[in-house]
């Protein structure tokens, strides 16, 4: 009981650090600009203006361009962030080699916070996913993906407001696989009670702080009775500690169907690794795509925020990339560091530009370049200050 109380206190502290209007682990939109409610903000510690050093991994493809856009916007907002840039890429790494160099390991261990652009993983060449390597290296057990309809952005839905919380360390992504015999491959799905309860507890803490009435856990127990059964059993056990929050288990098939029919019925989704990977992208499609949805990977000792779209090598270096996803992930990061005022300022400016629709990139139906879109957000920041 004492251990559980300590765990809840630790998770509560992490969640308070994210208290935010929209793009954080707390999704509480109450106005067109997603201003923080008094209740949510009062749970957080006071706003800090102390300069923090942040590890920046620009990434591959368009990563450098969108990272530069974020840096320019942070400079315009006078955000107290000092960037420590490190280069990580599998493009020059040898197959089977650990893709993480010592520089990035040392930097994140020291700074405890990072922002990462898109990273490429060569397909079929034996390379380990860099994203997976980072999650394993730093114990980033929860992937948090808030998804919210954005005024001014055309999509099939205008009432989406949910958060996908994905177990980030096991499932099918452990890399335990082998060739049984030529032409027959076997991959192991690993589910543990400890990891399942840890991410479930995070999901319920999130729902509690956001006044979300329900947590839904997804599964496929009709087929994977042992693995998914353990995940659901663990979620049920955790739910007993949160009697004011409804808990529902739902097959992954039905989750996908209901998300496309009635996304407004979902508040918080908690899922094993693979299901969470797929569903979080599905949810991004409901509100305009991966170019608009932020992401945070949360661990006990460190956190890394990232854009989850691809490297887009076809437009790299052409000043066409949309930096919104990385920018909103950086807004989540600011709130994690208790820089609430700067986070609100940057988010408001970005959403204002998106809502106006006059200076948006090609993927959103506009004609603006990366730099023009960035300049528009910077100008809006100056107007708001």
């Amino acid at each position: 009981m004492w251990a559980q109380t300590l765990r809840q206190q630790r998770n509560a502290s992490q969640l308070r650090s994210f208290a935010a209007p929209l793009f954080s682990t707390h999704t509480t939109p109450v106005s067109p600009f997603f201003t923080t409610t008094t209740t949510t903000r009062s749970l957080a510690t006071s706003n800090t203006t102390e300069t923090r050093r942040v590890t920046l991994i620009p990434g591959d493809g368009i990563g450098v361009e969108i990272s530069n856009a974020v840096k320019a916007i942070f400079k315009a907002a006078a955000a107290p962030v000092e960037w420590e840039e490190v280069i990580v890429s599998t493009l020059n790494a040898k197959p089977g080699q650990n893709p993480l160099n010592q520089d990035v390991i040392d930097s994140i261990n020291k700074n405890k916070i990072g922002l990462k652009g898109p990273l490429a993983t060569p397909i079929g060449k034996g390379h380990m996913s860099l994203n997976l390597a980072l999650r394993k290296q730093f114990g980033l057990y929860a992937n948090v993906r808030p998804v919210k309809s954005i005024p001014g952005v055309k999509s099939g839905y205008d009432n989406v407001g949910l958060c996908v919380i994905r177990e980030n360390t096991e499932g099918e992504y452990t890399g335990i696989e082998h060739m049984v015999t030529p032409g027959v491959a076997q991959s192991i799905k690993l589910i543990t009670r400890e990891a399942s309860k840890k991410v479930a507890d995070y999901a319920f803490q999130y729902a509690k702080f956001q006044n979300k009435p329900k947590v839904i856990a997804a599964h496929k127990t009709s087929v994977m009775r042992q693995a998914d059964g353990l995940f659901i059993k663990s979620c049920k056990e955790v739910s007993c500690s949160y009697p004011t929050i409804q808990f529902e288990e739902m097959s992954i098939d039905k989750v996908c169907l209901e998300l496309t029919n009635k996304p407004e019925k979902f508040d918080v989704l908690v899922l094993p690794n693979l299901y969470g990977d797929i569903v979080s992208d599905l949810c991004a499609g409901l509100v305009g795509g991966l170019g608009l949805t932020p992401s945070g990977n949360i661990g006990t000792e460190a956190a890394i925020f990232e854009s989850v779209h691809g490297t887009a090598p076809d437009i790299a270096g052409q000043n066409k990339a949309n930096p919104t996803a990385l920018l909103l992930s950086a807004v989540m990061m600011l709130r994690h560091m208790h820089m609430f005022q700067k986070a609100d300022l940057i988010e408001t400016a970005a959403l204002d530009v998106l809502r106006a629709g006059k200076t948006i990139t090609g993927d959103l139906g506009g004609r603006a370049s990366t730099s023009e879109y960035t300049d528009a957000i910077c100008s809006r920041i100056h107007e708001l200050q």
Side-chain angles (χ1 to χ4, degrees):
M1 189 68 174
W2 176 244
Q4 181 182 19
T5 301
L6 286 177
R7 184 173 66 252
Q8 290 181 352
Q9 289 175 345
R10 184 190 66 236
N11 286 348
S13 176
Q14 291 173 342
L15 285 165
R16 281 194 293 271
S17 72
F18 276 88
L22 173 60
F23 297 110
S24 71
T25 58
H26 291 277
T27 310
T28 313
V30 294
S31 77
F33 301 116
F34 308 101
T35 308
T36 305
T37 64
T38 303
T39 302
T40 302
R41 181 57 61 88
S42 67
L43 292 171
T45 56
S46 59
N47 184 74
T48 181
T49 57
E50 181 182 352
T51 299
R52 283 288 304 273
R53 181 172 293 176
V54 173
T55 300
L56 176 63
I57 304 172
D60 300 313
I62 60 172
V64 173
E65 295 165 81
I66 62 176
S67 295
N68 286 338
V70 170
K71 289 194 289 185
I73 292 167
F74 269 48
K75 183 177 181 180
V81 169
E82 179 182 331
W83 303 105
E84 182 173 297
E85 189 169 321
V86 293
I87 304 301
V88 182
S89 177
T90 59
L91 298 182
N92 297 318
K94 297 180 181 178
Q97 184 182 59
N98 184 348
L100 298 181
N101 57 56
Q102 196 60 45
D103 288 344
V104 70
I105 294 173
D106 292 344
S107 180
I108 294 177
N109 277 332
K110 176 180 61 177
N111 300 327
K112 308 299 183 184
I113 189 86
L115 182 67
K116 180 183 75 63
L119 292 169
T121 301
I123 298 174
K125 297 183 179 180
H127 289 283
M128 177 189 291
S129 165
L130 269 168
N131 297 313
L132 181 59
L134 284 166
R135 293 166 193 157
K136 286 186 174 182
Q137 178 71 38
F138 299 105
L140 308 177
Y141 67 91
N143 177 242
V144 184
R145 297 272 292 271
V147 182
K148 183 72 177 67
S149 300
I150 298 177
V153 175
K154 295 180 180 179
S155 66
Y157 305 85
D158 57 8
N159 54 355
V160 180
L162 62 93
C163 187
V164 178
I165 298 177
R166 160 190 170 194
E167 201 293 313
N168 223 10
T169 63
E170 51 183 34
E172 294 85 350
Y173 289 25
T174 55
I176 306 173
E177 58 180 0
H178 65 282
M179 296 298 296
V180 178
T181 189
V184 180
Q186 184 179 58
S187 181
I188 304 299
K189 176 175 181 173
L190 179 68
I191 298 289
T192 66
R193 182 174 181 270
E194 180 182 1
S196 298
K197 292 189 73 171
K198 193 172 185 178
V199 75
D201 191 58
Y202 190 93
F204 277 95
Q205 285 280 346
Y206 174 91
K208 178 181 177 181
F209 275 84
Q210 277 300 307
N211 295 316
K212 296 292 186 180
K214 180 186 286 188
V215 172
I216 295 177
H219 65 89
K220 189 66 175 177
T221 55
S222 60
V223 176
M224 286 164 279
R225 295 185 294 274
Q226 296 294 325
D228 283 17
L230 177 58
F231 180 79
I232 290 299
K233 181 180 179 181
S234 301
C235 291
K236 284 182 178 178
E237 291 176 3
V238 172
S239 72
C240 294
S241 299
Y242 300 89
T244 61
I245 300 171
Q246 300 174 52
F247 173 68
E248 181 179 349
E249 55 182 274
M250 186 180 294
S251 72
I252 188 64
D253 321 52
K254 187 176 180 181
V255 166
C256 293
L257 177 63
E258 292 298 311
L259 278 169
T260 56
N261 283 335
K262 298 178 180 178
E264 68 276 5
K265 71 180 290 183
F266 291 90
D267 295 310
V268 179
L269 270 166
V270 61
L271 311 94
N273 209 336
L274 178 61
Y275 303 156
D277 193 2
I278 295 169
V279 168
S280 56
D281 280 11
L282 185 157
C283 290
L286 302 177
V287 298
L290 292 173
L292 294 168
T293 50
S295 175
N297 297 287
I298 311 305
T300 304
E301 301 296 332
I304 299 178
F305 300 83
E306 62 181 350
S307 57
V308 292
H309 54 68
T311 60
D314 55 318
I315 62 169
Q318 298 179 36
N319 201 22
K320 295 180 179 180
N322 177 4
T324 304
L326 188 63
L327 178 63
L328 295 179
S329 298
V331 166
M332 289 176 67
M333 180 191 74
L334 285 175
R335 293 190 175 109
H336 182 73
M337 298 188 295
H338 298 183
M339 298 180 184
F340 303 111
Q341 293 177 4
K342 296 302 181 182
D344 291 349
L345 173 62
I346 293 171
E347 182 183 289
T348 298
L351 296 178
D352 282 357
V353 171
L354 287 170
R355 186 174 63 169
K358 296 178 181 179
T359 317
I360 55 177
T361 51
D363 59 313
L364 300 178
R367 296 183 178 181
S369 64
T370 306
S371 55
E372 289 170 338
Y373 175 64
T374 302
D375 290 344
I377 295 175
C378 292
S379 295
R380 183 59 182 146
I381 286 173
H382 294 315
E383 292 171 358
L384 290 169
Q385 287 178 319

